[in-house]
Amino acid sequence: MKQHRKLARVVAGAAVAALVLTGCRGGGDDTEAGPGVTEEACPEAVNEDNGCIYLGAISDLTKGPFAPLAVPITEAQKAFWDKVNQDGGVGGFDVNIDKYVADAEYNPEIHNKKYQEMRNDILALGQTLGSSQTLAILEDMKADNVIGVPASWNSAWDFEDQILQSGANYCFEAMNGVDWAVANRGVKGKVLAIHYPNDYGGDAAAGVEAAAKANNLDFKAIETATGQDNQAGAVAAVLKEKPSMLYITTGPAEMATILGGAAAQGWKGTVVGSSPTWNPALLQTEAAPALEAMYFQAGPWGPWGTESDGHAAMRDALADVDSPSDGYTAGWVWEYPLLAALKAAADMDGGITRENVVKAATELDSVDYEGMLPDEAFNQTGEPNDVAWRQSVISKVDKEAPTGVSIEQEMQAGPTAEGYDYTEPCFALG
Amino acid sequence: MTTMLRSTPSKHARKATGLRGRPLLRTSYDQDLTLANTPAKRRSVIALVIASFVVPFLLTDDLLQVLTLGMISAVGAIGLNLVTGYAGQVSLGHAFFIGVGAYTGAVLGGDPDGALLGYGLPMWIWLPAAGVVAAIAGLLVGPLAVRLRGLYLAIVTLGLVFLGDHIFREARNITGGPGVGRRGAELELFGIDFASMEPISGLSRGQAQFFLGLVFLIVFAILGRNIARSGVGPAFGAVRDRDVAAAVIGVDLTKYKVMAFAMSSFFAGVTGALYYAVIGVFEPGAFSLLLSIQYLAMVLIGGVATISGSIMGALFIALLPRISQFIAHYIPGELLTVFQLEAILYGLLIMGFLIFEPRGLFGIWTRIRNYWKGWPFSY
């Protein structure tokens, strides 16, 4: 027993000592380029002679509602930068998005905490998942000159220079979803927006409301909390209101619970979900038949199986993946603007520094997405009303497709989104 | 203060007894009650405080923030130790009082132009006010403790957490609601903005906040110690050990139980306000039962009915995620991710501690101290 105690004490002591020593101040990690960029090669570098750029990723990897999507997103982003490194890196640097990965459980508080932990060590955020979560750290990001790739599509990002958003935001996506359903599914009467009570849900609901108004539909919004156990209220609301269409903006499991629950009690209609509401694993659940009959996904770009150079490169890089999901697709597409900003900063005076990357990002007027999105989908240089990307795709459930969905309507903007006067974000809490 | 810290007999007493240099012999209650009642304690406390002021110059900001939050939660742990450790009233409701303090602070000290309710008052108003509002909540709960004890009291205070959870979730113009949250109060004291990224007279944000946390802890630790060593502390102990006997010898049970709750809630309130002001953003889900449990763990791991134990326990719990993060990186495994391993280790460390060291960190400290006290003849 005594021996054990001694051993335990030695181990604990060593752990604490190591912790203290690794945290020592003035380690001299920073080169002249500043935080997140080192002359030293990355750990397990592809190009040993290159320096290293560290990107942070604050994601939802275990307990949160988007973990089934966020784990693939994070994997795809690693694969993306691995490919960049294999092609020689950026401006003499390899890019590492492996060292500073944090799990924030889709919680703004933990998100902020994780950002504080890595803020001095990263050049930029390769992923910051969630709308409210990213808003929680936005002020600090601005103070630090850190740009971020959001793992979300929010109309607020079109008005923020330091957030590099790809594809149409939830608000336009919802308008396109409703316009499509009215034109192609004969929706009339009432549309119900069921959404999380946060910036993600609010943004989509604002889009649904605008589209409902344009199409002369009755509109009602129902808020619902995270967690499959908390959806009884939403199901009851569907049965009471008897809408002809639902627009759902939750996590995948919550969407399936609501749709499945309402269908089981006899509700029929069209359901369109925001892009994060789909996860191919839903086809293994009891709700699968109802999903096949009624569910459509509004999304910013084609799913995994789409034909384009970028999609093909992604499938190559992720050839080992057993069960593809469009988390991979999103994670991959999102990184293109960051790559473009890093390339542009590398050519500037002073090379890749936080300041130069911010400057380069604000001057980007197009991004080479290798065909996954049109190049002009990304433009930071004009007024959002002129340059914001408004086109979405609509996908249907397709058991044969690799990620369980295939395109129903190719990329386009509906009349509501086209005509929307976009001088401020669709939605802001408070 | 210096006179309070001194433990050697007064000049008069020394002359009378010639007891100079026999620090463990006490000839008056005054000596027994002094803040640091042996010279060794006095010296080590002073050395520790000086050492703490050096720490920020040795560690990086991210680690400093962990320690800062640990020191702030230490005040909350002292508060819980007052009611649960000293007065023996098991409280699972600590998270509620911390929440009350956090939102009071955030509303009073929050950005008046923000989306949510905020009055932009200075820190010297919102910090004490957070304590006072929480203490009032404690005063309201106190009378329940008079009628109940043990597990029954635990269940009632558990109810408080759920009540608070519901209110915090629904009062969205104050709390921002679940999944969104709000910013804490603005950390500005005497014109110094502790949240600013600009260096403050040569100090980084992490260092400045560390000093803020340290001063905060020292003030409240002395306050806590004073409560424990004055008449109130022994009265709490009597209530804890045998409340019937305590009543018989004239301890007013109602008064002391209510007092324990009010004091503990005051500590919790100021902790909540400052903790979440340093964190920056917080959401209502933070004040769940888990937070109460975490504070109980601090008290149990640190040492029941000790102030220094509360501090050690809080620092340990604050560092635990970092320690488990550190260990997790050295355990190879395909089955679990680093994050899952971290969560598991966190649980295992708490369990291991309670099994192998039930007296807590304070117990380990006592053993080390006793070893060196007898050195080189310790066995």
Side-chain angles (χ1 to χ4, degrees), chain A residues 60 64-69 106 194-196 198 200-201 224-228 231 248-259 273-279 282 295:
Chain A
D60 174 14
F66 293 107
L69 291 172
Y106 199 60
I194 300 180
H195 64 95
Y196 280 165
N198 57 14
Y200 159 51
T224 194
T226 56
Q228 277 177 279
Q231 306 310 322
I248 303 185
T249 312
T250 59
E254 289 86 350
M255 182 280 291
T257 309
I258 296 167
L259 199 166
S274 295
S275 83
T277 52
W278 180 252
N279 166 17
L282 295 179
Y295 175 76

mmCIF file of all heavy atoms in Angstrom, chain A residues 60 64-69 106 194-196 198 200-201 224-228 231 248-259 273-279 282 295:
data_model
loop_
_atom_site.group_PDB
_atom_site.id
_atom_site.type_symbol
_atom_site.label_atom_id
_atom_site.label_comp_id
_atom_site.label_asym_id
_atom_site.label_seq_id
_atom_site.Cartn_x
_atom_site.Cartn_y
_atom_site.Cartn_z
ATOM 1 N N ASP A 60 -17.504 20.470 -32.376
ATOM 2 C CA ASP A 60 -18.495 19.826 -31.503
ATOM 3 C C ASP A 60 -18.285 18.331 -31.667
ATOM 4 O O ASP A 60 -18.884 17.725 -32.531
ATOM 5 C CB ASP A 60 -19.895 20.254 -31.956
ATOM 6 C CG ASP A 60 -20.987 19.519 -31.204
ATOM 7 O OD1 ASP A 60 -20.697 18.892 -30.179
ATOM 8 O OD2 ASP A 60 -22.151 19.576 -31.647
ATOM 9 N N GLY A 64 -22.305 17.287 -28.183
ATOM 10 C CA GLY A 64 -23.233 18.249 -28.776
ATOM 11 C C GLY A 64 -24.089 17.646 -29.874
ATOM 12 O O GLY A 64 -23.846 16.525 -30.323
ATOM 13 N N PRO A 65 -25.117 18.404 -30.307
ATOM 14 C CA PRO A 65 -26.054 17.879 -31.298
ATOM 15 C C PRO A 65 -25.439 17.692 -32.693
ATOM 16 O O PRO A 65 -25.986 16.971 -33.513
ATOM 17 C CB PRO A 65 -27.153 18.938 -31.340
ATOM 18 C CG PRO A 65 -26.527 20.177 -30.822
ATOM 19 C CD PRO A 65 -25.476 19.743 -29.854
ATOM 20 N N PHE A 66 -24.330 18.349 -32.975
ATOM 21 C CA PHE A 66 -23.769 18.264 -34.318
ATOM 22 C C PHE A 66 -22.536 17.359 -34.390
ATOM 23 O O PHE A 66 -21.854 17.335 -35.405
ATOM 24 C CB PHE A 66 -23.453 19.658 -34.861
ATOM 25 C CG PHE A 66 -24.703 20.450 -35.099
ATOM 26 C CD1 PHE A 66 -25.051 21.489 -34.269
ATOM 27 C CD2 PHE A 66 -25.551 20.113 -36.146
ATOM 28 C CE1 PHE A 66 -26.223 22.200 -34.481
ATOM 29 C CE2 PHE A 66 -26.725 20.816 -36.361
ATOM 30 C CZ PHE A 66 -27.065 21.867 -35.516
ATOM 31 N N ALA A 67 -22.283 16.618 -33.311
ATOM 32 C CA ALA A 67 -21.096 15.757 -33.310
ATOM 33 C C ALA A 67 -21.046 14.807 -34.512
ATOM 34 O O ALA A 67 -19.992 14.629 -35.105
ATOM 35 C CB ALA A 67 -21.006 14.988 -31.994
ATOM 36 N N PRO A 68 -22.196 14.207 -34.934
ATOM 37 C CA PRO A 68 -22.123 13.298 -36.081
ATOM 38 C C PRO A 68 -21.652 14.006 -37.354
ATOM 39 O O PRO A 68 -21.125 13.364 -38.253
ATOM 40 C CB PRO A 68 -23.553 12.795 -36.253
ATOM 41 C CG PRO A 68 -24.238 13.103 -34.965
ATOM 42 C CD PRO A 68 -23.545 14.264 -34.356
ATOM 43 N N LEU A 69 -21.878 15.300 -37.458
ATOM 44 C CA LEU A 69 -21.402 16.041 -38.623
ATOM 45 C C LEU A 69 -20.026 16.644 -38.373
ATOM 46 O O LEU A 69 -19.207 16.748 -39.278
ATOM 47 C CB LEU A 69 -22.385 17.176 -38.958
ATOM 48 C CG LEU A 69 -23.741 16.728 -39.494
ATOM 49 C CD1 LEU A 69 -24.683 17.911 -39.592
ATOM 50 C CD2 LEU A 69 -23.576 16.085 -40.856
ATOM 51 N N TYR A 106 -20.865 22.432 -28.633
ATOM 52 C CA TYR A 106 -21.902 23.362 -29.135
ATOM 53 C C TYR A 106 -22.362 24.302 -28.029
ATOM 54 O O TYR A 106 -23.519 24.675 -27.938
ATOM 55 C CB TYR A 106 -23.093 22.593 -29.715
ATOM 56 C CG TYR A 106 -23.970 23.410 -30.638
ATOM 57 C CD1 TYR A 106 -23.444 23.984 -31.795
ATOM 58 C CD2 TYR A 106 -25.318 23.625 -30.374
ATOM 59 C CE1 TYR A 106 -24.235 24.736 -32.647
ATOM 60 C CE2 TYR A 106 -26.123 24.377 -31.223
ATOM 61 C CZ TYR A 106 -25.573 24.925 -32.357
ATOM 62 O OH TYR A 106 -26.352 25.674 -33.196
ATOM 63 N N ILE A 194 -39.716 25.431 -37.440
ATOM 64 C CA ILE A 194 -39.344 24.865 -36.135
ATOM 65 C C ILE A 194 -37.839 25.011 -36.004
ATOM 66 O O ILE A 194 -37.092 24.523 -36.858
ATOM 67 C CB ILE A 194 -39.747 23.391 -36.045
ATOM 68 C CG1 ILE A 194 -41.257 23.271 -36.235
ATOM 69 C CG2 ILE A 194 -39.329 22.801 -34.697
ATOM 70 C CD1 ILE A 194 -41.780 21.862 -36.164
ATOM 71 N N HIS A 195 -37.402 25.706 -34.953
ATOM 72 C CA HIS A 195 -35.975 26.026 -34.920
ATOM 73 C C HIS A 195 -35.421 26.101 -33.509
ATOM 74 O O HIS A 195 -36.149 26.312 -32.549
ATOM 75 C CB HIS A 195 -35.726 27.348 -35.653
ATOM 76 C CG HIS A 195 -36.383 28.536 -35.011
ATOM 77 N ND1 HIS A 195 -35.734 29.349 -34.131
ATOM 78 C CD2 HIS A 195 -37.632 29.032 -35.127
ATOM 79 C CE1 HIS A 195 -36.554 30.310 -33.734
ATOM 80 N NE2 HIS A 195 -37.719 30.134 -34.318
ATOM 81 N N TYR A 196 -34.106 25.936 -33.410
ATOM 82 C CA TYR A 196 -33.400 26.165 -32.155
ATOM 83 C C TYR A 196 -33.547 27.638 -31.771
ATOM 84 O O TYR A 196 -33.586 28.504 -32.638
ATOM 85 C CB TYR A 196 -31.904 25.895 -32.325
ATOM 86 C CG TYR A 196 -31.474 24.456 -32.273
ATOM 87 C CD1 TYR A 196 -30.208 24.099 -32.731
ATOM 88 C CD2 TYR A 196 -32.286 23.453 -31.766
ATOM 89 C CE1 TYR A 196 -29.759 22.788 -32.691
ATOM 90 C CE2 TYR A 196 -31.850 22.141 -31.726
ATOM 91 C CZ TYR A 196 -30.587 21.813 -32.186
ATOM 92 O OH TYR A 196 -30.146 20.517 -32.140
ATOM 93 N N ASN A 198 -31.579 29.865 -31.084
ATOM 94 C CA ASN A 198 -30.297 30.572 -31.111
ATOM 95 C C ASN A 198 -30.109 31.263 -32.459
ATOM 96 O O ASN A 198 -31.051 31.354 -33.254
ATOM 97 C CB ASN A 198 -29.152 29.596 -30.805
ATOM 98 C CG ASN A 198 -29.108 28.428 -31.768
ATOM 99 O OD1 ASN A 198 -29.744 28.448 -32.814
ATOM 100 N ND2 ASN A 198 -28.370 27.402 -31.401
ATOM 101 N N TYR A 200 -28.514 30.334 -35.102
ATOM 102 C CA TYR A 200 -28.697 29.401 -36.225
ATOM 103 C C TYR A 200 -30.183 29.300 -36.569
ATOM 104 O O TYR A 200 -30.606 29.565 -37.695
ATOM 105 C CB TYR A 200 -28.090 28.048 -35.825
ATOM 106 C CG TYR A 200 -28.540 26.824 -36.561
ATOM 107 C CD1 TYR A 200 -28.529 26.783 -37.952
ATOM 108 C CD2 TYR A 200 -28.936 25.684 -35.866
ATOM 109 C CE1 TYR A 200 -28.912 25.630 -38.622
ATOM 110 C CE2 TYR A 200 -29.311 24.533 -36.522
ATOM 111 C CZ TYR A 200 -29.307 24.501 -37.899
ATOM 112 O OH TYR A 200 -29.687 23.357 -38.542
ATOM 113 N N GLY A 201 -30.986 28.945 -35.563
ATOM 114 C CA GLY A 201 -32.411 28.790 -35.783
ATOM 115 C C GLY A 201 -33.089 30.091 -36.188
ATOM 116 O O GLY A 201 -33.928 30.131 -37.081
ATOM 117 N N THR A 224 -37.571 25.185 -30.398
ATOM 118 C CA THR A 224 -37.406 23.891 -29.754
ATOM 119 C C THR A 224 -35.961 23.745 -29.280
ATOM 120 O O THR A 224 -35.043 24.258 -29.911
ATOM 121 C CB THR A 224 -37.832 22.753 -30.709
ATOM 122 O OG1 THR A 224 -37.969 21.561 -29.968
ATOM 123 C CG2 THR A 224 -36.829 22.550 -31.823
ATOM 124 N N ALA A 225 -35.794 23.044 -28.148
ATOM 125 C CA ALA A 225 -34.463 22.953 -27.530
ATOM 126 C C ALA A 225 -33.656 21.816 -28.148
ATOM 127 O O ALA A 225 -34.187 21.010 -28.891
ATOM 128 C CB ALA A 225 -34.608 22.729 -26.026
ATOM 129 N N THR A 226 -32.371 21.762 -27.821
ATOM 130 C CA THR A 226 -31.553 20.642 -28.280
ATOM 131 C C THR A 226 -31.922 19.390 -27.502
ATOM 132 O O THR A 226 -32.454 19.459 -26.397
ATOM 133 C CB THR A 226 -30.052 20.906 -28.056
ATOM 134 O OG1 THR A 226 -29.857 21.194 -26.678
ATOM 135 C CG2 THR A 226 -29.555 22.076 -28.876
ATOM 136 N N GLY A 227 -31.662 18.230 -28.095
ATOM 137 C CA GLY A 227 -31.914 16.963 -27.419
ATOM 138 C C GLY A 227 -33.168 16.297 -27.944
ATOM 139 O O GLY A 227 -34.232 16.921 -28.052
ATOM 140 N N GLN A 228 -33.058 15.004 -28.271
ATOM 141 C CA GLN A 228 -34.200 14.282 -28.828
ATOM 142 C C GLN A 228 -35.358 14.191 -27.849
ATOM 143 O O GLN A 228 -36.502 14.093 -28.246
ATOM 144 C CB GLN A 228 -33.766 12.866 -29.227
ATOM 145 C CG GLN A 228 -33.110 12.821 -30.586
ATOM 146 C CD GLN A 228 -32.642 11.428 -30.904
ATOM 147 O OE1 GLN A 228 -31.593 11.015 -30.453
ATOM 148 N NE2 GLN A 228 -33.416 10.697 -31.681
ATOM 149 N N GLN A 231 -38.474 17.130 -27.862
ATOM 150 C CA GLN A 231 -39.179 17.496 -29.088
ATOM 151 C C GLN A 231 -40.692 17.286 -29.029
ATOM 152 O O GLN A 231 -41.394 17.517 -30.009
ATOM 153 C CB GLN A 231 -38.594 16.741 -30.292
ATOM 154 C CG GLN A 231 -37.082 16.908 -30.437
ATOM 155 C CD GLN A 231 -36.639 18.355 -30.392
ATOM 156 O OE1 GLN A 231 -37.309 19.239 -30.920
ATOM 157 N NE2 GLN A 231 -35.530 18.626 -29.717
ATOM 158 N N ILE A 248 -37.441 23.025 -40.882
ATOM 159 C CA ILE A 248 -36.811 22.666 -39.607
ATOM 160 C C ILE A 248 -35.346 23.094 -39.573
ATOM 161 O O ILE A 248 -34.610 22.866 -40.530
ATOM 162 C CB ILE A 248 -36.936 21.151 -39.347
ATOM 163 C CG1 ILE A 248 -38.416 20.745 -39.377
ATOM 164 C CG2 ILE A 248 -36.326 20.787 -37.996
ATOM 165 C CD1 ILE A 248 -38.678 19.304 -39.022
ATOM 166 N N THR A 249 -34.966 23.723 -38.494
ATOM 167 C CA THR A 249 -33.588 24.185 -38.311
ATOM 168 C C THR A 249 -33.109 23.741 -36.931
ATOM 169 O O THR A 249 -33.164 24.500 -35.971
ATOM 170 C CB THR A 249 -33.540 25.728 -38.432
ATOM 171 O OG1 THR A 249 -34.266 26.099 -39.597
ATOM 172 C CG2 THR A 249 -32.114 26.215 -38.559
ATOM 173 N N THR A 250 -32.693 22.465 -36.867
ATOM 174 C CA THR A 250 -32.214 21.890 -35.600
ATOM 175 C C THR A 250 -31.007 21.026 -35.928
ATOM 176 O O THR A 250 -30.419 21.181 -36.992
ATOM 177 C CB THR A 250 -33.304 20.994 -34.981
ATOM 178 O OG1 THR A 250 -33.609 19.957 -35.917
ATOM 179 C CG2 THR A 250 -34.559 21.763 -34.656
ATOM 180 N N GLY A 251 -30.649 20.099 -35.050
ATOM 181 C CA GLY A 251 -29.676 19.073 -35.382
ATOM 182 C C GLY A 251 -30.387 17.943 -36.105
ATOM 183 O O GLY A 251 -31.623 17.890 -36.130
ATOM 184 N N PRO A 252 -29.628 17.007 -36.706
ATOM 185 C CA PRO A 252 -30.244 15.911 -37.467
ATOM 186 C C PRO A 252 -31.190 15.067 -36.611
ATOM 187 O O PRO A 252 -32.312 14.765 -37.031
ATOM 188 C CB PRO A 252 -29.049 15.078 -37.931
ATOM 189 C CG PRO A 252 -27.855 15.940 -37.807
ATOM 190 C CD PRO A 252 -28.151 16.948 -36.753
ATOM 191 N N ALA A 253 -30.739 14.664 -35.426
ATOM 192 C CA ALA A 253 -31.554 13.766 -34.611
ATOM 193 C C ALA A 253 -32.869 14.430 -34.214
ATOM 194 O O ALA A 253 -33.928 13.805 -34.222
ATOM 195 C CB ALA A 253 -30.775 13.345 -33.371
ATOM 196 N N GLU A 254 -32.804 15.722 -33.889
ATOM 197 C CA GLU A 254 -34.025 16.442 -33.505
ATOM 198 C C GLU A 254 -34.992 16.528 -34.688
ATOM 199 O O GLU A 254 -36.191 16.336 -34.544
ATOM 200 C CB GLU A 254 -33.682 17.852 -33.005
ATOM 201 C CG GLU A 254 -32.993 17.889 -31.654
ATOM 202 C CD GLU A 254 -31.492 17.721 -31.743
ATOM 203 O OE1 GLU A 254 -30.981 17.379 -32.837
ATOM 204 O OE2 GLU A 254 -30.808 17.926 -30.718
ATOM 205 N N MET A 255 -34.439 16.805 -35.878
ATOM 206 C CA MET A 255 -35.290 16.898 -37.073
ATOM 207 C C MET A 255 -36.030 15.582 -37.289
ATOM 208 O O MET A 255 -37.242 15.559 -37.513
ATOM 209 C CB MET A 255 -34.408 17.245 -38.283
ATOM 210 C CG MET A 255 -35.143 17.438 -39.592
ATOM 211 S SD MET A 255 -35.582 15.919 -40.450
ATOM 212 C CE MET A 255 -33.972 15.316 -40.957
ATOM 213 N N ALA A 256 -35.284 14.461 -37.222
ATOM 214 C CA ALA A 256 -35.904 13.157 -37.467
ATOM 215 C C ALA A 256 -36.958 12.845 -36.404
ATOM 216 O O ALA A 256 -38.004 12.270 -36.700
ATOM 217 C CB ALA A 256 -34.843 12.072 -37.494
ATOM 218 N N THR A 257 -36.698 13.259 -35.161
ATOM 219 C CA THR A 257 -37.657 13.005 -34.090
ATOM 220 C C THR A 257 -38.955 13.765 -34.336
ATOM 221 O O THR A 257 -40.053 13.231 -34.162
ATOM 222 C CB THR A 257 -37.061 13.439 -32.734
ATOM 223 O OG1 THR A 257 -35.784 12.846 -32.597
ATOM 224 C CG2 THR A 257 -37.951 13.022 -31.585
ATOM 225 N N ILE A 258 -38.813 15.017 -34.757
ATOM 226 C CA ILE A 258 -40.007 15.839 -35.001
ATOM 227 C C ILE A 258 -40.790 15.290 -36.196
ATOM 228 O O ILE A 258 -42.002 15.054 -36.121
ATOM 229 C CB ILE A 258 -39.611 17.309 -35.250
ATOM 230 C CG1 ILE A 258 -38.964 17.898 -33.996
ATOM 231 C CG2 ILE A 258 -40.828 18.129 -35.653
ATOM 232 C CD1 ILE A 258 -38.256 19.214 -34.233
ATOM 233 N N LEU A 259 -40.055 15.049 -37.289
ATOM 234 C CA LEU A 259 -40.736 14.573 -38.493
ATOM 235 C C LEU A 259 -41.370 13.200 -38.239
ATOM 236 O O LEU A 259 -42.548 12.977 -38.544
ATOM 237 C CB LEU A 259 -39.725 14.491 -39.642
ATOM 238 C CG LEU A 259 -40.275 14.450 -41.074
ATOM 239 C CD1 LEU A 259 -39.157 14.705 -42.064
ATOM 240 C CD2 LEU A 259 -40.949 13.146 -41.395
ATOM 241 N N GLY A 273 -35.416 20.946 -44.571
ATOM 242 C CA GLY A 273 -34.528 21.213 -43.440
ATOM 243 C C GLY A 273 -33.350 22.056 -43.868
ATOM 244 O O GLY A 273 -32.895 21.973 -45.008
ATOM 245 N N SER A 274 -32.849 22.876 -42.951
ATOM 246 C CA SER A 274 -31.595 23.578 -43.181
ATOM 247 C C SER A 274 -30.499 22.542 -43.404
ATOM 248 O O SER A 274 -30.632 21.401 -42.981
ATOM 249 C CB SER A 274 -31.232 24.424 -41.963
ATOM 250 O OG SER A 274 -32.171 25.440 -41.784
ATOM 251 N N SER A 275 -29.404 22.946 -44.005
ATOM 252 C CA SER A 275 -28.435 21.936 -44.408
ATOM 253 C C SER A 275 -27.883 21.106 -43.246
ATOM 254 O O SER A 275 -27.627 19.929 -43.431
ATOM 255 C CB SER A 275 -27.341 22.550 -45.264
ATOM 256 O OG SER A 275 -26.371 23.120 -44.493
ATOM 257 N N PRO A 276 -27.697 21.654 -42.030
ATOM 258 C CA PRO A 276 -27.180 20.776 -40.968
ATOM 259 C C PRO A 276 -28.206 19.805 -40.388
ATOM 260 O O PRO A 276 -27.928 19.154 -39.382
ATOM 261 C CB PRO A 276 -26.720 21.761 -39.876
ATOM 262 C CG PRO A 276 -26.673 23.083 -40.531
ATOM 263 C CD PRO A 276 -27.698 23.054 -41.601
ATOM 264 N N THR A 277 -29.384 19.703 -40.963
ATOM 265 C CA THR A 277 -30.369 18.771 -40.398
ATOM 266 C C THR A 277 -30.214 17.365 -40.954
ATOM 267 O O THR A 277 -30.944 16.473 -40.554
ATOM 268 C CB THR A 277 -31.823 19.215 -40.668
ATOM 269 O OG1 THR A 277 -31.965 19.454 -42.066
ATOM 270 C CG2 THR A 277 -32.173 20.458 -39.882
ATOM 271 N N TRP A 278 -29.307 17.169 -41.908
ATOM 272 C CA TRP A 278 -29.220 15.824 -42.492
ATOM 273 C C TRP A 278 -27.962 15.093 -42.067
ATOM 274 O O TRP A 278 -26.881 15.681 -42.011
ATOM 275 C CB TRP A 278 -29.282 15.886 -44.017
ATOM 276 C CG TRP A 278 -29.196 14.513 -44.613
ATOM 277 C CD1 TRP A 278 -28.162 13.965 -45.288
ATOM 278 C CD2 TRP A 278 -30.190 13.486 -44.540
ATOM 279 N NE1 TRP A 278 -28.431 12.663 -45.638
ATOM 280 C CE2 TRP A 278 -29.684 12.342 -45.186
ATOM 281 C CE3 TRP A 278 -31.474 13.408 -43.955
ATOM 282 C CZ2 TRP A 278 -30.411 11.150 -45.281
ATOM 283 C CZ3 TRP A 278 -32.185 12.222 -44.065
ATOM 284 C CH2 TRP A 278 -31.653 11.112 -44.730
ATOM 285 N N ASN A 279 -28.141 13.797 -41.782
ATOM 286 C CA ASN A 279 -27.034 12.916 -41.466
ATOM 287 C C ASN A 279 -27.461 11.549 -41.996
ATOM 288 O O ASN A 279 -28.548 11.081 -41.683
ATOM 289 C CB ASN A 279 -26.858 12.914 -39.935
ATOM 290 C CG ASN A 279 -25.960 11.788 -39.467
ATOM 291 O OD1 ASN A 279 -25.223 11.192 -40.243
ATOM 292 N ND2 ASN A 279 -26.028 11.497 -38.179
ATOM 293 N N LEU A 282 -29.485 8.734 -40.295
ATOM 294 C CA LEU A 282 -30.931 8.789 -40.020
ATOM 295 C C LEU A 282 -31.687 7.711 -40.794
ATOM 296 O O LEU A 282 -32.783 7.314 -40.411
ATOM 297 C CB LEU A 282 -31.487 10.173 -40.376
ATOM 298 C CG LEU A 282 -30.978 11.350 -39.554
ATOM 299 C CD1 LEU A 282 -31.608 12.640 -40.039
ATOM 300 C CD2 LEU A 282 -31.289 11.141 -38.071
ATOM 301 N N TYR A 295 -39.045 14.419 -46.574
ATOM 302 C CA TYR A 295 -37.939 15.307 -46.227
ATOM 303 C C TYR A 295 -37.114 15.751 -47.439
ATOM 304 O O TYR A 295 -36.799 14.958 -48.324
ATOM 305 C CB TYR A 295 -37.009 14.629 -45.227
ATOM 306 C CG TYR A 295 -35.760 15.433 -44.909
ATOM 307 C CD1 TYR A 295 -35.812 16.537 -44.061
ATOM 308 C CD2 TYR A 295 -34.533 15.112 -45.492
ATOM 309 C CE1 TYR A 295 -34.664 17.280 -43.785
ATOM 310 C CE2 TYR A 295 -33.391 15.850 -45.224
ATOM 311 C CZ TYR A 295 -33.465 16.935 -44.370
ATOM 312 O OH TYR A 295 -32.342 17.682 -44.103
#
